[in-house]
Coordinates of all heavy atoms in Angstrom, one line a residue:
S408 N 8.6 17.5 16.6 CA 7.9 18.2 15.4 C 8.5 17.7 14.0 O 7.8 17.4 13.1 CB 7.8 19.6 15.5 OG 9.1 20.3 15.2
D409 N 9.8 17.7 14.0 CA 10.4 17.2 12.7 C 10.1 15.8 12.4 O 9.7 15.5 11.3 CB 12.0 17.5 12.9 CG 12.4 18.8 12.8 OD1 11.6 19.8 12.5 OD2 13.5 19.1 13.3
N410 N 10.2 15.0 13.5 CA 9.9 13.5 13.3 C 8.4 13.3 12.8 O 8.0 12.5 12.1 CB 10.3 12.7 14.5 CG 11.7 12.6 14.8 OD1 12.5 12.5 13.9 ND2 12.3 12.6 16.0
M411 N 7.6 14.1 13.6 CA 6.1 13.9 13.3 C 5.7 14.2 11.8 O 5.0 13.5 11.2 CB 5.2 14.7 14.3 CG 5.1 14.1 15.7 SD 3.9 14.8 16.6 CE 2.5 14.0 16.1
E412 N 6.3 15.3 11.3 CA 6.2 15.7 10.0 C 6.7 14.6 9.0 O 5.9 14.3 8.2 CB 7.0 17.0 9.7 CG 6.6 17.5 8.2 CD 7.8 18.5 7.8 OE1 8.7 18.5 8.4 OE2 7.4 19.2 6.8
Q413 N 7.8 14.2 9.3 CA 8.3 13.2 8.4 C 7.6 11.8 8.3 O 7.2 11.3 7.3 CB 9.7 12.8 8.7 CG 10.8 13.9 8.5 CD 12.1 13.6 9.1 OE1 12.5 12.5 9.4 NE2 12.9 14.6 9.3
E414 N 7.1 11.3 9.6 CA 6.4 10.1 9.7 C 4.9 10.2 9.2 O 4.5 9.2 8.4 CB 6.4 9.6 11.2 CG 7.7 9.2 11.7 CD 8.2 8.1 11.0 OE1 7.5 7.0 10.6 OE2 9.5 8.1 10.6
I415 N 4.3 11.3 9.4 CA 3.0 11.4 8.8 C 3.0 11.5 7.4 O 2.1 11.0 6.6 CB 2.1 12.7 9.6 CG1 2.0 12.4 11.1 CG2 0.8 12.9 8.9 CD1 1.6 13.7 11.8
A416 N 4.0 12.4 6.8 CA 4.2 12.5 5.4 C 4.4 11.1 4.8 O 3.8 10.8 3.7 CB 5.2 13.5 5.2
K417 N 5.2 10.3 5.4 CA 5.5 9.0 4.9 C 4.3 8.2 4.8 O 4.1 7.4 3.8 CB 6.6 8.4 5.8 CG 7.2 7.1 5.1 CD 8.1 6.4 6.2 CE 9.3 7.3 6.6 NZ 10.1 6.6 7.6
Y418 N 3.4 8.3 5.8 CA 2.3 7.5 5.8 C 1.3 8.0 5.0 O 0.7 7.1 4.2 CB 1.6 7.6 7.3 CG 0.3 6.9 7.5 CD1 0.3 5.5 7.8 CD2 -0.9 7.5 7.5 CE1 -0.8 4.7 8.0 CE2 -2.0 6.7 7.8 CZ -2.1 5.4 8.0 OH -3.2 4.7 8.1
L419 N 1.0 9.2 4.7 CA 0.2 9.9 3.6 C 0.6 9.4 2.3 O -0.2 9.2 1.4 CB 0.1 11.4 3.9 CG -0.6 11.8 5.0 CD1 -0.6 13.3 5.2 CD2 -2.2 11.3 5.1
S420 N 1.9 9.5 2.1 CA 2.5 9.0 0.8 C 2.1 7.6 0.4 O 1.7 7.2 -0.7 CB 4.0 9.1 0.7 OG 4.3 10.5 0.9
A421 N 2.3 6.7 1.5 CA 1.8 5.3 1.4 C 0.3 5.2 1.1 O -0.1 4.4 0.1 CB 2.1 4.4 2.6
V422 N -0.4 6.0 1.7 CA -2.0 6.0 1.4 C -2.3 6.4 0.0 O -3.0 5.9 -0.7 CB -2.6 6.8 2.5 CG1 -4.1 6.9 2.1 CG2 -2.5 6.2 3.8
S423 N -1.5 7.5 -0.4 CA -1.8 7.9 -1.7 C -1.4 7.0 -2.9 O -1.9 7.2 -4.0 CB -1.1 9.2 -1.9 OG 0.4 9.0 -1.9
D424 N -0.6 5.9 -2.6 CA -0.4 5.0 -3.5 C -1.5 4.0 -3.9 O -1.5 3.3 -4.9 CB 0.8 4.0 -3.2 CG 2.2 4.8 -3.1 OD1 2.2 5.8 -3.9 OD2 3.1 4.4 -2.6
A425 N -2.5 4.1 -3.0 CA -3.7 3.3 -3.2 C -4.7 3.9 -4.3 O -4.4 4.9 -4.7 CB -4.4 3.1 -1.9
H426 N -5.6 3.1 -4.6 CA -6.6 3.6 -5.6 C -7.7 4.5 -4.9 O -8.4 4.1 -4.1 CB -7.5 2.3 -6.1 CG -8.2 2.5 -7.4 ND1 -7.6 3.1 -8.5 CD2 -9.4 2.2 -7.8 CE1 -8.5 3.2 -9.4 NE2 -9.7 2.7 -9.0
L427 N -7.4 5.9 -5.1 CA -8.2 6.9 -4.3 C -9.2 7.6 -5.2 O -8.9 7.9 -6.3 CB -7.2 7.8 -3.8 CG -6.0 7.2 -2.9 CD1 -5.1 8.4 -2.4 CD2 -6.7 6.5 -1.6
S428 N -10.2 8.0 -4.5 CA -11.1 8.9 -5.1 C -10.5 10.5 -5.2 O -9.6 10.7 -4.4 CB -12.4 9.1 -4.3 OG -12.3 9.6 -3.0
D429 N -11.1 11.3 -5.9 CA -10.6 12.6 -6.1 C -10.7 13.3 -4.8 O -9.8 14.1 -4.4 CB -11.3 13.4 -7.2 CG -11.1 12.8 -8.6 OD1 -9.9 12.2 -8.8 OD2 -11.9 13.1 -9.5
D430 N -11.8 13.2 -4.1 CA -12.0 13.8 -2.7 C -10.9 13.4 -1.7 O -10.4 14.3 -1.0 CB -13.5 13.3 -2.2 CG -13.7 14.1 -0.9 OD1 -13.6 15.2 -0.9 OD2 -14.0 13.3 0.0
T431 N -10.6 12.0 -1.6 CA -9.5 11.6 -0.8 C -8.2 12.1 -1.1 O -7.4 12.4 -0.4 CB -9.5 10.0 -0.8 OG1 -10.9 9.6 -0.4 CG2 -8.5 9.6 0.3
K432 N -7.8 12.2 -2.4 CA -6.6 12.8 -3.0 C -6.5 14.3 -2.4 O -5.5 14.7 -2.1 CB -6.6 12.7 -4.5 CG -6.2 11.4 -4.9 CD -6.2 11.4 -6.6 CE -6.1 10.0 -7.2 NZ -6.3 10.0 -8.7
G433 N -7.6 14.9 -2.6 CA -7.6 16.4 -2.1 C -7.4 16.5 -0.7 O -6.6 17.4 -0.2
K434 N -7.9 15.5 0.2 CA -7.7 15.6 1.6 C -6.2 15.4 1.9 O -5.7 16.0 2.8 CB -8.5 14.5 2.3 CG -10.1 14.9 2.4 CD -10.8 13.7 3.0 CE -12.3 13.9 3.1 NZ -13.1 12.7 3.6
I435 N -5.6 14.3 1.3 CA -4.2 14.2 1.5 C -3.3 15.2 1.1 O -2.4 15.5 1.9 CB -4.0 12.9 0.7 CG1 -4.5 11.6 1.3 CG2 -2.3 12.6 0.7 CD1 -4.3 10.3 0.6
R436 N -3.6 15.9 0.0 CA -2.8 17.2 -0.3 C -3.0 18.2 0.7 O -1.9 18.8 1.2 CB -3.3 17.7 -1.6 CG -2.8 17.0 -3.0 CD -3.0 17.8 -4.2 NE -4.4 18.1 -4.4 CZ -5.3 17.4 -5.1 NH1 -4.8 16.2 -5.7 NH2 -6.5 17.7 -5.2
D437 N -4.1 18.4 1.3 CA -4.3 19.5 2.3 C -3.6 19.1 3.6 O -3.0 19.9 4.3 CB -5.8 19.6 2.6 CG -6.5 20.2 1.4 OD1 -6.0 21.0 0.6 OD2 -7.8 20.1 1.3
M438 N -3.6 17.8 3.9 CA -3.0 17.2 5.1 C -1.5 17.3 4.9 O -0.7 17.7 5.9 CB -3.3 15.8 5.4 CG -4.7 15.6 5.9 SD -5.1 13.8 6.2 CE -6.6 14.0 7.1
M439 N -0.9 17.2 3.8 CA 0.6 17.4 3.5 C 0.9 18.8 3.8 O 2.0 19.2 4.5 CB 0.9 17.0 2.1 CG 0.9 15.6 1.8 SD 2.3 14.8 2.6 CE 2.4 13.2 1.5
R440 N 0.1 19.8 3.4 CA 0.3 21.1 3.7 C 0.2 21.6 5.1 O 1.0 22.3 5.7 CB -0.7 22.0 2.8 CG -0.5 23.5 3.0 CD -1.6 24.2 2.1 NE -1.4 25.7 2.4 CZ -2.4 26.5 2.3 NH1 -3.7 26.0 1.8 NH2 -2.5 27.8 2.6
E441 N -0.8 20.9 5.8 CA -1.0 21.1 7.2 C 0.2 20.7 8.1 O 0.7 21.6 8.9 CB -2.2 20.3 7.8 CG -3.5 20.9 7.5 CD -4.7 20.1 7.9 OE1 -4.7 19.7 9.2 OE2 -5.5 19.5 7.2
I442 N 0.8 19.6 7.8 CA 2.0 19.2 8.5 C 3.1 20.0 8.4 O 4.0 20.3 9.2 CB 2.2 17.6 8.4 CG1 2.5 17.2 6.9 CG2 1.1 16.8 9.0 CD1 2.9 15.8 6.7
T443 N 3.3 20.5 7.1 CA 4.4 21.3 6.8 C 4.3 22.6 7.5 O 5.4 23.0 8.2 CB 4.4 21.7 5.2 OG1 4.6 20.4 4.5 CG2 5.6 22.4 4.8
E444 N 3.2 23.3 7.6 CA 3.0 24.4 8.3 C 3.1 24.2 9.9 O 3.5 25.1 10.7 CB 1.7 25.0 8.1 CG 1.4 25.4 6.5 CD 2.4 26.4 6.0 OE1 3.0 27.2 6.9 OE2 2.5 26.4 4.8
L445 N 2.6 23.1 10.4 CA 2.8 22.8 11.8 C 4.2 22.6 12.3 O 4.7 23.1 13.3 CB 2.0 21.5 12.1 CG 0.5 21.6 12.2 CD1 -0.2 20.3 12.3 CD2 0.0 22.6 13.4
E446 N 5.0 22.0 11.3 CA 6.4 21.8 11.7 C 7.1 23.3 11.6 O 8.0 23.5 12.3 CB 7.0 20.9 10.5 CG 8.5 20.5 10.9 CD 9.6 21.5 10.6 OE1 9.3 22.3 9.6 OE2 10.6 21.4 11.3
S447 N 6.6 24.1 10.8 CA 7.1 25.5 10.8 C 6.8 26.3 12.1 O 7.5 27.1 12.6 CB 6.5 26.3 9.5 OG 7.1 25.7 8.3
I448 N 5.7 26.0 12.6 CA 5.2 26.5 13.9 C 6.2 26.0 15.0 O 6.7 26.9 15.9 CB 3.8 26.1 14.3 CG1 2.8 26.8 13.4 CG2 3.6 26.4 15.9 CD1 1.4 26.3 13.5
G449 N 6.6 24.7 15.0 CA 7.6 24.2 15.9 C 8.9 25.0 15.7 O 9.6 25.3 16.7
D450 N 9.3 25.3 14.5 CA 10.5 25.9 14.3 C 10.5 27.4 14.9 O 11.5 27.8 15.4 CB 10.7 26.1 12.7 CG 11.3 24.8 12.1 OD1 11.6 23.7 12.9 OD2 11.2 24.6 10.9
S451 N 9.4 28.0 14.7 CA 9.2 29.4 15.2 C 9.3 29.4 16.7 O 9.9 30.3 17.3 CB 7.9 29.9 14.8 OG 7.9 30.4 13.4
C452 N 8.7 28.3 17.5 CA 8.8 28.2 18.8 C 10.3 28.2 19.2 O 10.7 28.7 20.2 CB 7.9 27.1 19.3 SG 6.2 27.3 19.2
Y453 N 10.9 27.3 18.5 CA 12.4 27.1 18.9 C 13.2 28.3 18.7 O 14.1 28.6 19.5 CB 12.9 25.9 18.1 CG 14.4 25.5 18.4 CD1 14.7 25.3 19.6 CD2 15.3 25.4 17.4 CE1 16.1 25.0 20.0 CE2 16.5 25.0 17.7 CZ 17.0 24.9 18.9 OH 18.2 24.5 19.3
N454 N 12.9 29.1 17.6 CA 13.5 30.3 17.3 C 13.3 31.4 18.5 O 14.2 32.1 18.8 CB 13.1 30.9 16.0 CG 13.6 30.2 14.8 OD1 14.7 29.4 15.0 ND2 13.0 30.3 13.7
L455 N 12.0 31.3 19.0 CA 11.7 32.3 20.0 C 12.6 31.9 21.3 O 13.1 32.7 22.0 CB 10.2 32.3 20.3 CG 9.2 32.9 19.4 CD1 7.8 32.4 19.7 CD2 9.3 34.3 19.5
A456 N 12.6 30.6 21.5 CA 13.4 30.1 22.7 C 14.9 30.4 22.5 O 15.6 30.9 23.5 CB 13.3 28.6 22.9
R457 N 15.4 30.4 21.3 CA 16.8 30.7 21.2 C 17.1 32.2 21.4 O 18.1 32.6 21.9 CB 17.2 30.3 19.7 CG 17.3 28.8 19.6 CD 17.4 28.4 18.0 NE 18.7 29.0 17.5 CZ 18.9 29.1 16.2 NH1 18.1 28.4 15.3 NH2 20.1 29.5 15.6
T458 N 16.1 33.0 20.9 CA 16.3 34.4 21.2 C 16.2 34.8 22.7 O 17.0 35.5 23.2 CB 15.2 35.2 20.5 OG1 15.1 34.9 19.1 CG2 15.3 36.7 20.6
I459 N 15.3 34.1 23.4 CA 15.2 34.4 24.9 C 16.5 34.0 25.6 O 17.1 34.5 26.4 CB 14.1 33.6 25.4 CG1 12.8 34.3 25.0 CG2 14.0 33.6 27.0 CD1 11.4 33.4 25.2
S460 N 17.1 32.9 25.1 CA 18.3 32.3 25.6 C 19.5 33.3 25.3 O 20.4 33.5 26.0 CB 18.7 30.9 24.9 OG 19.9 30.4 25.3
R461 N 19.4 33.9 24.0 CA 20.4 34.9 23.6 C 20.4 36.0 24.6 O 21.5 36.6 24.9 CB 20.2 35.2 22.2 CG 21.4 35.8 21.5 CD 21.3 35.9 20.1 NE 20.5 37.0 19.6 CZ 19.3 37.0 19.0 NH1 18.9 35.8 18.4 NH2 18.8 38.1 18.6
L462 N 19.2 36.4 24.9 CA 18.9 37.6 25.9 C 19.6 37.3 27.2 O 20.3 38.1 27.8 CB 17.5 37.9 25.9 CG 17.2 38.9 27.0 CD1 17.5 40.3 26.6 CD2 15.6 38.9 27.3
V463 N 19.4 36.0 27.8 CA 19.8 35.7 29.0 C 21.5 35.7 29.1 O 22.0 36.1 30.0 CB 19.3 34.3 29.5 CG1 20.0 33.8 30.7 CG2 17.7 34.4 29.7
N464 N 22.0 35.1 28.0 CA 23.5 35.0 27.8 C 24.1 36.4 27.8 O 25.2 36.5 28.0 CB 23.8 34.2 26.7 CG 23.4 32.6 27.0 OD1 23.4 32.3 28.0 ND2 23.0 31.9 25.9
S465 N 23.3 37.4 27.3 CA 23.8 38.7 27.0 C 24.0 39.5 28.3 O 24.6 40.6 28.3 CB 23.1 39.5 25.9 OG 21.8 39.8 26.5
K466 N 23.3 39.0 29.3 CA 23.3 39.7 30.7 C 22.6 41.0 30.7 O 22.6 41.8 31.6 CB 24.8 39.9 31.2 CG 25.6 38.7 31.3 CD 24.9 37.5 32.2 CE 25.8 36.3 32.2 NZ 25.2 35.3 33.0

Side-chain angles (χ1 to χ4, degrees):
S408 73
D409 289 344
N410 288 330
M411 287 194 78
E412 181 198 19
Q413 290 170 18
E414 292 301 316
I415 297 171
K417 190 187 300 181
Y418 182 77
L419 288 172
S420 295
V422 174
S423 66
D424 289 338
H426 196 50
L427 304 176
S428 65
D429 292 337
D430 182 52
T431 305
K432 286 178 185 174
K434 285 180 184 176
I435 290 175
R436 280 195 299 271
D437 292 338
M438 285 179 170
M439 286 288 198
R440 186 179 166 208
E441 284 177 55
I442 59 174
T443 301
E444 301 297 342
L445 284 170
E446 193 275 333
S447 296
I448 291 173
D450 289 343
S451 283
C452 289
Y453 184 49
N454 289 337
L455 287 168
R457 288 169 62 189
T458 304
I459 294 168
S460 177
R461 204 166 80 237
L462 174 73
V463 170
N464 292 332
S465 72
K466 304 303 180 185

